[in-house]
C-alpha cells in the first residue's frame, strides 16, 4: 500500500506541473492503477449537451492493464447519460460521496454495461474543482473478482480525485486569464492614436 500512496503523490505532482492532458491523464491512471492492482482506471467528464441541457458523461482518459481491453474501445462510454444508467449513483457522486460496489449490486442498466465490459467490481469518486462544481469522476475497475474495496483504497482514489480536481481548477484559471489577456490585447490594439499629441 505504501507504493500506491507514493504513486498518488507522484501522479499529483505530474498533474500540477503539466496539467491534465491525454498523456498525463493516462500516465496518472497507469501509475496508480498498477500500484493498486486494478484492471482498469479512467477519468470521466460531465457536460451539458444541447439546448435542453441533457446531462452527458464522456470518458476522457483511460488505462487498462493488458490483456484487459481499454474502456475507450466501448463507444457507449464516449458520451452517455450517466443519470439514466445509474440515477442513485449520480445523486451520491453529486453529493461528494464515493460509489463502491460489485457489479452484481449495480443499478440494472449500469450492471448490464459493466457486465459487457467484464467488470466485476467498480469504485467511483467525484472530481470537484470547487464546491459548486461536480466536474466528473475517477473510476477503478476490477475485472477478476467482485472486490470489496478497502478503506485505504478509497482514500487513495479520493486523493487522486483531489489531484485531478486541482489540475482542472488550474486549467480553468489559466483559460480565464488567457481570455482576459486576449480581451486586453484587442482593446489596446483597437485604440486609435490621437493626432496632435
Amino acid at each position: 500500500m505504501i507504493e500506491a500512496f507514493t504513486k498518488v503523490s507522484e501522479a499529483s505532482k505530474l498533474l500540477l506541473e503539466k496539467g491534465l492532458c491525454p498523456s498525463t491523464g493516462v500516465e496518472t491512471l497507469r501509475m496508480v492503477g498498477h500500484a493498486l492492482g486494478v484492471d482498469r482506471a479512467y477519468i470521466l467528464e460531465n457536460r451539458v449537451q444541447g439546448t435542453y441541457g441533457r446531462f452527458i458523461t464522456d470518458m476522457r482518459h483511460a488505462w487498462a492493464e493488458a490483456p484487459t481491453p481499454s474502456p475507450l474501445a466501448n463507444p457507449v462510454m464516449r458520451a452517455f447519460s450517466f443519470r439514466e444508467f445509474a440515477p442513485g449513483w449520480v445523486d451520491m457522486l453529486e453529493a461528494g460521496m464515493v460509489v463502491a460496489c460489485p457489479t452484481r449490486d449495480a443499478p440494472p442498466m449500469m450492471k448490464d454495461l459493466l457486465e459487457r465490459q467484464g467488470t466485476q467490481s467498480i469504485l467511483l469518486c467525484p472530481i470537484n474543482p470547487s464546491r459548486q462544481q461536480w466536474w466528473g469522476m475517477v473510476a477503478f475497475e476490477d475485472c477478476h473478482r467482485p472486490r470489496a474495496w478497502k478503506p485505504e483504497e478509497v482514500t487513495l482514489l479520493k486523493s487522486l480525485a483531489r489531484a485531478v480536481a486541482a489540475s482542472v481548477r488550474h486549467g480553468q484559471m489559466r483559460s480565464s486569464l488567457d481570455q482576459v489577456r486576449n480581451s486586453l490585447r484587442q482593446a489596446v490594439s483597437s485604440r486609435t492614436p490621437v493626432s496632435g499629441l
Side-chain angles (χ1 to χ4, degrees):
M1 198 51 66
I2 292 172
E3 180 193 358
F5 279 102
T6 301
K7 292 301 179 186
V8 169
S9 178
E10 290 174 17
S12 300
K13 184 177 177 187
L14 177 67
L15 288 169
L16 287 175
E17 286 177 357
K18 298 191 176 180
L20 181 63
C21 64
S23 63
T24 59
V26 172
E27 180 60 15
T28 294
L29 294 169
R30 184 197 65 76
M31 284 192 295
V32 179
H34 188 72
L36 275 178
V38 299
D39 298 297
R40 273 194 288 255
Y42 46 91
I43 296 171
L44 300 161
E45 180 181 358
N46 300 322
R47 64 183 168 90
V48 176
Q49 180 187 50
T51 53
Y52 296 107
R54 186 168 179 236
F55 178 83
I56 298 293
T57 301
D58 290 316
M59 184 168 295
R60 291 294 181 211
H61 311 283
W63 163 85
E65 184 75 76
T68 306
S70 170
L72 290 171
N74 187 345
V76 174
M77 299 295 286
R78 293 302 177 112
F80 71 106
S81 175
F82 194 62
R83 191 173 295 283
E84 288 175 22
F85 278 77
W89 287 7
V90 168
D91 293 342
M92 290 174 67
L93 291 161
E94 279 182 321
M97 299 168 67
V98 170
V99 172
C101 80
T103 297
R104 66 176 176 258
D105 296 337
M109 286 179 67
M110 183 59 76
K111 178 182 175 183
D112 181 57
L113 175 63
L114 293 172
E115 284 176 344
R116 282 187 274 133
Q117 293 188 151
T119 304
Q120 294 288 317
S121 192
I122 190 165
L123 176 61
L124 295 161
C125 186
I127 298 168
N128 301 315
S130 70
R131 289 184 185 180
Q132 298 80 27
Q133 184 187 16
W134 176 40
W135 183 88
M137 65 212 90
V138 180
F140 290 154
E141 290 184 355
D142 191 314
C143 298
H144 289 90
R145 67 188 194 282
R147 184 173 184 155
W149 299 99
K150 298 174 185 171
E152 53 269 24
E153 292 172 327
V154 173
T155 298
L156 282 167
L157 185 59
K158 286 181 178 179
S159 296
L160 180 59
R162 281 193 295 273
V164 173
S167 182
V168 168
R169 186 170 50 251
H170 289 171
Q172 291 169 341
M173 290 189 313
R174 278 192 299 271
S175 178
S176 294
L177 286 171
D178 287 345
Q179 289 175 358
V180 168
R181 198 174 297 123
N182 289 337
S183 295
L184 287 172
R185 279 191 192 119
Q186 288 176 350
V188 168
S189 66
S190 68
R191 288 182 48 197
T192 54
V194 178
S195 59
L197 292 179

